[in-house]
C-alpha cells in the first residue's frame, strides 16, 4: 500500500475535486457493474458503534473476511487517530453526524482586520550546472495491486484448518502471507495466531481455538495470552500509541478474562514478543528509579511496545542526531539571502538553517510561505533545495511558489517519482529539504524520510502544531518540538482574515466571535440531527454558491465521524441526492460523484468520477486521471463530506463544519482547529453542540498518545552533554 500511496501522491492528486464531467456513457457504467457492487455495501459497514463484523459472533467462527476488515481498519484509523489509551476495544469511529449548514445570511459574525500574509517567493531559477529534470508524460495512474501468488498446497491446507474451526475460507491467503507456508500447522498448534489477521477479534479467535482444541484451552492459556499482548499493542498503535504503560496493558488483559496478567506479560517479554523500556520522563504516575548508588533517580514509567515501533522511534532519533552531528556548514552568503526575504520570520528561518543541519519551524497556513522562501533562497545560492508537502494539494500550493520540479510530495520524493532522485549510496540527491505538514508524518514514515537525507544536508521540519496528529502511530513532530534538541523557529506571521483570527484563537484555547462583514464566518444553530443535515445540504447547494460565490464543487463538508445521524454516510447520501442524483450504477457511484480514496490510513485522495469501463472506475483528481480497478472500487467512499482527520493537509475555498449535539465527546481543540482551518474564503459552522464546543476548545487540547521518541531524544542529548 505504501507503494500505491507514493504513486498516487506523485500523480498530484489534490483535494479540490472538479465538477461533473459530461459525456460519460451509462452503458459503459452498466457494463462493469457486475461483480463490483460490493462498494456500496462496504460503505454502509462504516459503523459508529465500533462494531467490526457481527457482534456476539458464534463461538466457533471468525466472522469477518479480509475485505471487510480492510474497510473497517481504514474507517477506524480515520476516526480515532488520537483515540483512548485503552486498547482492549478496537478503535471506534465517533457516532456523530452532521448536515448542511444554514443560510449564509443568519447569525453574521463580526469583522476582523485581516493580517498581511508573507509574500510568496518568486520561483527560483535552478543554476545552470544543476539542470531541471524534465517530467515524463505519464499515462493515467492505475491503482492496481501487484498480484501475489501463494503456494496452492499451503493455501488449501490452511482452508482445511479454517473450515474445521468454522472460519471463513477468505482468510486462507492472508494467513499464508502472515504466517508463511507452514501456516496450517502453526494455526493448528496455536489457533490464537489467527488474531494476527486483519479484522479478527478476540471472541472470534476464542471460538476458533475452542473448535480446534476442545477442552484443552482456557482464558489463561499461554498461547492466548501471548497473542493477546501483541493484539492489544497493535490496537493501541491504531489509536496512535507506539507503546503502552505496563499497568494499562495488564488492565486490558484482565478485561479479556486473563487472571495471570503479570505472568503473561513476563512470558511475552521473555519470548521477545514485546520489548520493555524504562521511560525516564516526568509524567503522572512515574515512580522514582533507583540508581547504582542507591539514590533515587528521575521518575520512570515502565513501557511495553512492539519492536516495529520501538525500532522506528530509535531509528528516527538516530537519524535526527546524525544530521546534527554531520553538518559542517559552508561559506555561502546566507545573511544576504535572509535580508532578501519578505518577512522577519522567513529571515529567521533562513538564518537558523544556515547554521544547523536540523531545524523545526512552526506556524499556520500563512507561515507556509517561509519554508518556501528558504528553499528559494537556497537555490539562488546554488544548492539543491526542495520543498516536500505531505499531500498532493500541499504540493500544488508549493509549486505555485517554487515551480513544478522544486515542489514534491513526501511519497513522491521517497519513491523517486518526484524530485532529485538518489545518489549512488541510496541517499537523496539534495542539499536542503524543507518538509511541510510535518505533524501528519507518523513515526515510521518520519524515520524513513530522515534516513534518506544525506549526511551534511539541511533538513527543516515545518508544520502547524495545533492540527491533528498523524493517522498512523506516533507524534514525531510534537515529540521533536518537546525534546528541544535542535533550533526552533516559531513564525510570527498571523493567518489573515476572520477565519485566520478565529483559528488563531482556537489554537490558544479561546473561542471568540470575530467580525466578518463579508460573511467569511457564519454560525448556524440547529436543534437536532435532522435539521443539521438539512442545513448542511442547503449551505452547500444554495447559500454558499449564491451568497459567497463558491460553487458546490469547491465546498467541503467536515463532520466528526462516519456513522450516526450526522456522519459522513448520511451527509454524503443527502448531498448526492441533491447535487448528483443517480442510481449508483457502478458499485454505488455515478459520473459526477465526488469521492475519496485512502490508499493507506492518513492519506486522502479526493476526486470526481468521470466514467467507468471494463477496467474500472475513472476519476479526475485535480486534473490527473486515475483509474481505480474493479476490485478496488469497494475502497472508495463518497466525498462531499469527510472527517477532520481525512481533511488534514487539504484546503478548500469554502468549508461547512457540522457539529451535532452528540459530537461533544469526540471534540478536542485539535479537532476544531483542524476542521475550522480548512476553509480559505468561507467557513460555515452548523452548531448543535452548544457550550460543548467552547468547552472542548478551552479544556481538551488533544487526546494524548504514549510514545518514546521525546525521551529517547533527550537521553541522547544528555549522553552527548556528559561526553
Amino acid at each position: 500500500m505504501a507503494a500505491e500511496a507514493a504513486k498516487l501522491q506523485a500523480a498530484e492528486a489534490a483535494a479540490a475535486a472538479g465538477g461533473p464531467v459530461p459525456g460519460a456513457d451509462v452503458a459503459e457504467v452498466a457494463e462493469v457493474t457486475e461483480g463490483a457492487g460490493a462498494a456500496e455495501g462496504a460503505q454502509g459497514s462504516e459503523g459508529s458503534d465500533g462494531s467490526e463484523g457481527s457482534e456476539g459472533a458464534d463461538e466457533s467462527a471468525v466472522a469477518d473476511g479480509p475485505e471487510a476488515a480492510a474497510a473497517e481498519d481504514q474507517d477506524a484509523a480515520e476516526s480515532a487517530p488520537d483515540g483512548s489509551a485503552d486498547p482492549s476495544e478496537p478503535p471506534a469511529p465517533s457516532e456523530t453526524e452532521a448536515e448542511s449548514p444554514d443560510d449564509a445570511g443568519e447569525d453574521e459574525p463580526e469583522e476582523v482586520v485581516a493580517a498581511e500574509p508573507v509574500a510568496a517567493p518568486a520561483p527560483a531559477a535552478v543554476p545552470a550546472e544543476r539542470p531541471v529534470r524534465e517530467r515524463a508524460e505519464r499515462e493515467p495512474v492505475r491503482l492496481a495491486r501487484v498480484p501475489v501468488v501463494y503456494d496452492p498446497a499451503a493455501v488449501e491446507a490452511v482452508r482445511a484448518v479454517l473450515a474445521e474451526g468454522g472460519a471463513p475460507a477468505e482468510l486462507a491467503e492472508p494467513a499464508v502471507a502472515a504466517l508463511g507456508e507452514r501456516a496450517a500447522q502453526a494455526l493448528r498448534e496455536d489457533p490464537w495466531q489467527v488474531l494476527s489477521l486483519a479484522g479478527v477479534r478476540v471472541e472470534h479467535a476464542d471460538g476458533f481455538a475452542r473448535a480446534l482444541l476442545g477442552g484443552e484451552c482456557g482464558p489463561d492459556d499461554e498461547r492466548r495470552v501471548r497473542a493477546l499482548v501483541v493484539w492489544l499493542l497493535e490496537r493501541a498503535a491504531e489509536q496512535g500509541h507506539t507503546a503502552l504503560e505496563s499497568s494499562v496493558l495488564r488492565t486490558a488483559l484482565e478485561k479479556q478474562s486473563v487472571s495471570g496478567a503479570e505472568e503473561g506479560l513476563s512470558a511475552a517479554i521473555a519470548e521477545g514478543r514485546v520489548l520493555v523500556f524504562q521511560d525516564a520522563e516526568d509524567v503522572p504516575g512515574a515512580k522514582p528509579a533507583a540508581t547504582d548508588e542507591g539514590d533515587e533517580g528521575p521518575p520512570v514509567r515502565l513501557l511495553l511496545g512492539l519492536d516495529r515501533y520501538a525500532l522506528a522511534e530509535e531509528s528516527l532519533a538516530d537519524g535526527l542526531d546524525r544530521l546534527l552531528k554531520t553538518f559542517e556548514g559552508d561559506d555561502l552568503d546566507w545573511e544576504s539571502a535572509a535580508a532578501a526575504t519578505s518577512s522577519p520570520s522567513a529571515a529567521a528561518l533562513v538564518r537558523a538553517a544556515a547554521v544547523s543541519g536540523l531545524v523545526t519551524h512552526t506556524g499556520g497556513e500563512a507561515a507556509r510561505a517561509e519554508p518556501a522562501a528558504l528553499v528559494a533562497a537556497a537555490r539562488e545560492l546554488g544548492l539543491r533545495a526542495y520543498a516536500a508537502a505531505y499531500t498532493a494539494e500541499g504540493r500544488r500550493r508549493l509549486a505555485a511558489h517554487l515551480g513544478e520540479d522544486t515542489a514534491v510530495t513526501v511519497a513522491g520524493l521517497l519513491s523517486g517519482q518526484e524530485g532529485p532522485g538518489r545518489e549512488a549510496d541510496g541517499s537523496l540527491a539534495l542539499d536542503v529539504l524543507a518538509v511541510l505538514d510535518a505533524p501528519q508524518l507518523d513515526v515510521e514514515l518520519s524515520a524513513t524520510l530522515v534516513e534518506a537525507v544525506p549526511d551534511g544536508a539541511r533538513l527543516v521540519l515545518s508544520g502547524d502544531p495545533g492540527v491533528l496528529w498523524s493517522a498512523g502511530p506516533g507524534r514525531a513532530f510534537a515529540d521533536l518540538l518537546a525534546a528541544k534538541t535542535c533550533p526552533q523557529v516559531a513564525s510570527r506571521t498571523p493567518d489573515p482574515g476572520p477565519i485566520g483570527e478565529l483559528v488563531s484563537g482556537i489554537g490558544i484555547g479561546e473561542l471568540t466571535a470575530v467580525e466578518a462583514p463579508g460573511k467569511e464566518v457564519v454560525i448556524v444553530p440547529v436543534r437536532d440531527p435532522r435539521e443539521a443535515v438539512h442545513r448542511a445540504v442547503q449551505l452547500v447547494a444554495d447559500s454558499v454558491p449564491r451568497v459567497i460565490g463558491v460553487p458546490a464543487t469547491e465546498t467541503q463538508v467536515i463532520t466528526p465521524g462516519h456513522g450516526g445521524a450526522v456522519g459522513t454516510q448520511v451527509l454524503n447520501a443527502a448531498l448526492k441526492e441533491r447535487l448528483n442524483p443517480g442510481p449508483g450504477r457502478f458499485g454505488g457511484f455515478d459520473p459526477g460523484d465526488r469521492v475519496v480514496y485512502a490508499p493507506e490510513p492518513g492519506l486522502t485522495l479526493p476526486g470526481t468520477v468521470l466514467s467507468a469501463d471494463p477496467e474500472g472506475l475513472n476519476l479526475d483528481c485535480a486534473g490527473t486521471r486515475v483509474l481505480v480497478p474493479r476490485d478496488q472500487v469497494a475502497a472508495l467512499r463518497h466525498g462531499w463530506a469527510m472527517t477532520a482527520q481525512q481533511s488534514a493537509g487539504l484546503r478548500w475555498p469554502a468549508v461547512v463544519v457540522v457539529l451535532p449535539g452528540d459530537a461533544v465527546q469526540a471534540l478536542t481543540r485539535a479537532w476544531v482547529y483542524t476542521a475550522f482551518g480548512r476553509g480559505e474564503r468561507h467557513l460555515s459552522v452548523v452548531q448543535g453542540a452548544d457550550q460543548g464546543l467552547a468547552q472542548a476548545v478551552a479544556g481538551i487540547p488533544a487526546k494524548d498518545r504514549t510514545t518514546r521518541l521525546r525521551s529517547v531524544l533527550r537521553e541522547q542529548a544528555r549522553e552527548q552533554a556528559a561526553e
Side-chain angles (χ1 to χ4, degrees), residues 24-37 584-587 589 591 611-618 630:
D25 190 346
V26 175
E28 282 187 324
V29 179
E31 183 180 359
V32 290
T33 302
E34 185 177 356
R585 297 289 296 276
F586 185 82
F589 301 99
S611 63
D613 58 38
E615 293 188 69
L617 200 62
N618 295 295
R630 295 172 50 162

Side-chain angles (χ1 to χ4, degrees), residues 291-366:
T291 65
D292 293 337
E293 291 76 21
D295 301 326
E296 288 189 347
V300 299
R301 55 179 178 172
L302 195 64
L303 298 181
L304 292 98
L306 299 174
D307 58 356
R308 170 181 174 180
Y309 304 116
L311 292 174
E313 287 185 306
E314 291 175 3
S315 173
L316 176 55
D318 290 342
L320 295 171
D321 184 57
R322 171 180 60 83
L323 292 177
L324 288 169
K325 288 180 175 178
T326 60
F327 178 76
E328 296 179 351
D330 50 47
D331 56 359
L332 299 175
D333 190 0
W334 287 96
E335 185 56 40
S336 295
T341 59
S342 58
S343 76
S345 293
L349 181 59
V350 171
R351 293 188 179 100
V355 297
S356 178
L358 177 64
V359 176
T360 60
H361 170 261
T362 57
E365 286 295 324

Side-chain angles (χ1 to χ4, degrees), residues 363-449:
E365 286 295 324
R368 294 171 70 92
E370 293 159 12
L374 165 65
V375 170
R379 291 177 77 84
E380 288 290 348
L381 292 172
L383 298 177
R384 301 170 297 173
Y386 295 85
Y390 182 64
T391 66
E393 159 65 13
R395 180 199 171 278
R396 181 187 62 79
R397 284 181 279 153
L398 279 174
H401 302 328
L402 295 170
E404 289 288 328
D405 291 279
T406 306
V408 299
T409 62
V410 171
L413 177 68
L414 293 176
S415 69
Q417 293 183 312
E418 299 169 1
R422 302 271 183 162
E423 300 282 12
D425 63 358
S427 63
L428 295 168
L430 50 73
D431 305 307
V432 178
L433 176 62
V435 179
L436 286 75
D437 309 313
Q440 300 308 306
L441 275 62
D442 64 36
V443 66
E444 291 183 302
L445 180 57
S446 297
T448 301
L449 177 65

Side-chain angles (χ1 to χ4, degrees), residues 188-270:
R188 193 172 292 282
E189 295 174 352
D190 183 357
W192 284 283
Q193 290 196 55
V194 75
L195 272 176
S196 64
L197 308 183
V200 178
R201 299 176 67 177
V202 175
E203 59 267 29
H204 306 149
D206 286 344
F208 181 67
R210 278 191 290 271
L212 292 179
L213 302 177
E216 294 182 31
C217 62
D220 288 326
D221 190 297
E222 290 185 4
R223 294 166 293 184
R224 180 177 187 267
V225 176
R226 288 196 303 264
L228 277 175
V229 170
V230 175
W231 184 83
L232 289 167
L233 289 171
E234 290 285 6
R235 301 291 77 73
E238 291 175 2
Q239 298 172 17
H241 308 283
T242 60
L244 286 179
E245 292 190 48
S246 58
S247 59
V248 173
L249 200 50
R250 279 196 301 272
T251 301
L253 285 171
E254 290 167 359
K255 288 183 178 180
Q256 298 296 339
S257 303
V258 175
S259 59
E262 191 68 46
E263 293 78 4
L265 282 177
S266 299
I269 293 170

